[in-house]
Amino acid sequence: MLIGAHVDYEDPLAEATARNADVVQFFLADPQGWKAPETRPDAETLRASSVEIFVHAPYVLNLASTNNRIRIPSRKLLAQHAAAAATVGASGLIVHGGHVNKGEDVAVGIDNWRKALQQAQEKGGLPTRVLIENTAGGDNACARRFDELARLWDAVGEFGVGFCLDTCHAHAGGEKLLDIVDRVKAITGRIDLVHANGSRDGFDSGRDRHDNLTVMNDEPGMIDPELVAAVVRAAGAPAVVETPGGVEGQSADIAYLRAHQ
Ligand SMILES: [Zn+2]
């Protein structure tokens, strides 16, 4: 199983070496901004590397939004990031499931997802596979609870999207980790990547605060790390930790997952 980490975008291969990671994930632009990614001088090196690469889209991107001023730029940003991700040889572009606002119908958000992917297809298709990630919070999310995820997949499954399962988001979002791989695959038929994270918050808290798998401080993890390791084993997909503690914290988490394969 390929195991690695979400790392800084400056020199992802050096970060991979420092953590003994087989796979890295990084942003191509400010995750809180709308700027298009810049051309990377190391694109060819990244593409040729034996380290598998995933790119995470900015958090501001929300393809489900009913707000034109978010939804339309989100489509543009998706296309820009999918193109830039292809230049570095990324196996997938991770995009959060998105949400509509309070009082709005999630079904509209799901239809907006479908329209975005339909439009992308009509323009020739995206050069990097979109991996939709489950999220932790909100009552109007498209991919927090799996009943909504099933509706989302009915709408977008035909466009060749993949799925990224985040263990922190599932736990905090109110989906139990036990047998979760079977429940996801019954909906999506696939898991392309696991975000193997602990959580600083309790089950169904709706909060998104990642924690290490190996305890780095006095605070006990809110998720049994054995369960996270079991998810990675069952998924049969690459896994990255998006955990705190820099090289030291992430290296320990990676080593833990490897020791439990
Ligand atoms: Zn994640």
Side-chain angles (χ1 to χ4, degrees):
M1 219 75 83
L2 300 178
I3 299 178
H6 180 94
V7 299
D8 188 85
Y9 67 89
E10 205 68 52
D11 190 350
L13 296 179
E15 304 285 353
T17 303
R19 291 163 177 78
N20 191 21
D22 313 306
V23 45
V24 287
Q25 171 187 290
F26 48 92
F27 295 114
L28 288 174
D30 174 10
Q32 307 292 355
W34 294 95
K35 269 200 182 153
E38 286 169 23
T39 306
R40 291 189 64 112
D42 61 350
E44 201 178 323
T45 311
L46 288 166
R47 217 165 45 236
S49 166
S50 60
V51 175
E52 186 163 5
I53 288 167
F54 289 89
V55 167
H56 200 301
Y59 298 125
V60 292
L61 197 156
N62 182 6
L63 294 166
S65 179
T66 59
N67 181 343
N68 290 344
R69 282 175 298 179
I70 292 174
R71 189 178 66 258
I72 305 303
S74 289
R75 290 179 184 177
K76 188 175 166 196
L77 203 61
L78 178 76
Q80 289 168 336
H81 278 259
T87 68
V88 300
S91 303
L93 173 66
I94 293 95
V95 178
H96 282 184
H99 59 92
V100 294
N101 291 326
K102 218 175 163 73
E104 295 178 338
D105 189 351
V106 178
V108 178
I110 288 173
D111 200 46
N112 284 339
W113 253 109
R114 186 191 60 74
K115 285 177 185 162
L117 293 173
Q118 175 89 49
Q119 189 189 68
Q121 193 177 62
E122 284 163 9
K123 288 182 174 174
L126 299 169
T128 306
R129 190 188 298 280
V130 168
L131 308 183
I132 300 178
E133 178 178 0
N134 62 312
T135 52
D139 291 325
N140 302 295
C142 301
R144 172 182 176 175
R145 303 195 191 279
F146 288 180
D147 51 351
E148 293 298 355
L149 177 64
R151 286 182 203 112
L152 175 63
W153 220 264
D154 280 347
V156 303
E158 66 179 288
F159 296 106
V161 289
F163 188 70
C164 171
L165 174 63
D166 188 306
T167 55
C168 170
H169 297 176
H171 166 85
E175 294 288 343
K176 292 207 167 70
L177 293 185
L178 198 66
D179 299 328
I180 196 167
V181 168
D182 290 341
R183 285 187 290 122
V184 167
K185 284 190 175 171
I187 295 168
T188 64
R190 59 191 296 160
I191 294 177
D192 298 81
L193 178 67
V194 176
H195 283 170
N197 302 315
S199 171
R200 295 179 71 88
D201 299 283
F203 183 76
D204 210 15
S205 59
R207 299 195 67 186
D208 183 3
R209 296 193 304 162
H210 298 185
D211 201 1
N212 294 97
L213 302 175
T214 43
V215 179
M216 298 293 292
N217 47 41
D218 292 339
E219 205 174 347
M222 299 295 289
I223 302 178
D224 179 356
E226 290 270 9
L227 265 178
V228 178
V231 168
V232 172
R233 282 196 302 273
V240 299
V241 301
E242 298 172 306
T243 52
V247 171
E248 193 193 349
Q250 292 189 336
S251 296
D253 291 335
I254 290 169
Y256 174 86
L257 288 175
R258 274 214 191 96
H260 289 79
Q261 290 306 297

Coordinates of all heavy atoms in Angstrom, one line a residue, residues 25 56 96 133-134 164 166 169 195 197 210 242, ligand 1:
Q25 N 0.6 14.7 -1.4 CA -0.5 15.5 -1.8 C -0.2 16.9 -1.5 O 0.4 17.2 -0.4 CB -1.8 15.1 -1.1 CG -3.0 16.1 -1.3 CD -4.2 15.7 -0.4 OE1 -4.8 14.7 -0.6 NE2 -4.4 16.5 0.6
H56 N -4.7 18.7 -4.2 CA -5.9 19.1 -3.5 C -6.3 20.5 -4.0 O -5.6 21.5 -4.0 CB -5.6 19.2 -2.0 CG -6.9 19.1 -1.1 ND1 -7.9 20.0 -1.2 CD2 -7.3 18.2 -0.2 CE1 -8.9 19.7 -0.4 NE2 -8.5 18.6 0.2
H96 N -13.6 19.0 -2.4 CA -14.6 18.7 -1.3 C -16.0 18.7 -1.9 O -16.3 19.3 -2.9 CB -14.5 19.8 -0.3 CG -13.3 19.6 0.7 ND1 -13.1 20.4 1.8 CD2 -12.4 18.7 0.7 CE1 -12.0 20.0 2.4 NE2 -11.5 19.0 1.8
E133 N -14.4 14.4 -2.1 CA -14.0 14.0 -0.7 C -15.2 14.3 0.2 O -15.9 15.3 0.1 CB -12.8 14.9 -0.2 CG -12.4 14.6 1.2 CD -11.2 15.3 1.7 OE1 -10.6 16.1 0.9 OE2 -10.9 15.1 2.9
N134 N -15.5 13.4 1.1 CA -16.5 13.6 2.1 C -16.1 14.6 3.1 O -14.9 14.8 3.4 CB -16.8 12.3 2.9 CG -15.6 11.7 3.6 OD1 -14.5 11.6 3.1 ND2 -15.8 11.3 4.9
C164 N -12.6 10.2 -2.5 CA -11.5 10.3 -1.5 C -12.2 10.2 -0.1 O -13.0 11.0 0.2 CB -10.8 11.6 -1.7 SG -9.6 11.9 -0.3
D166 N -12.1 10.5 3.8 CA -11.3 11.1 4.9 C -11.9 10.6 6.2 O -13.1 10.7 6.5 CB -11.5 12.7 4.8 CG -10.6 13.4 5.9 OD1 -10.7 13.0 7.1 OD2 -9.8 14.2 5.5
H169 N -13.1 13.3 8.7 CA -14.4 13.9 8.3 C -15.6 12.9 8.5 O -16.7 13.3 8.8 CB -14.3 14.3 6.8 CG -13.3 15.3 6.5 ND1 -13.0 15.8 5.2 CD2 -12.5 16.1 7.3 CE1 -12.1 16.7 5.3 NE2 -11.8 16.9 6.5
H195 N -7.7 9.7 3.1 CA -7.1 10.7 4.0 C -7.2 10.1 5.4 O -8.2 10.0 6.0 CB -7.9 12.0 3.9 CG -7.6 12.8 2.7 ND1 -8.3 13.9 2.3 CD2 -6.6 12.6 1.7 CE1 -7.8 14.4 1.2 NE2 -6.8 13.7 0.8
N197 N -6.6 10.3 8.8 CA -6.5 11.3 9.8 C -7.2 10.9 11.1 O -8.2 10.3 11.1 CB -7.1 12.6 9.4 CG -6.5 13.1 8.1 OD1 -5.3 13.1 7.9 ND2 -7.3 13.6 7.2
H210 N -8.1 17.9 12.3 CA -7.3 16.7 12.2 C -6.4 16.5 13.4 O -5.9 17.4 13.9 CB -6.5 16.7 10.9 CG -7.4 16.8 9.7 ND1 -6.9 16.7 8.4 CD2 -8.7 16.9 9.5 CE1 -7.8 16.8 7.5 NE2 -9.0 17.0 8.2
E242 N -3.1 13.8 6.7 CA -3.2 15.3 6.7 C -3.2 15.7 8.1 O -4.1 16.2 8.6 CB -4.5 15.7 6.0 CG -4.6 15.3 4.5 CD -6.0 15.6 4.0 OE1 -7.0 15.2 4.7 OE2 -6.1 16.3 3.0
Ligands
ZN1 ZN -9.0 15.4 3.8

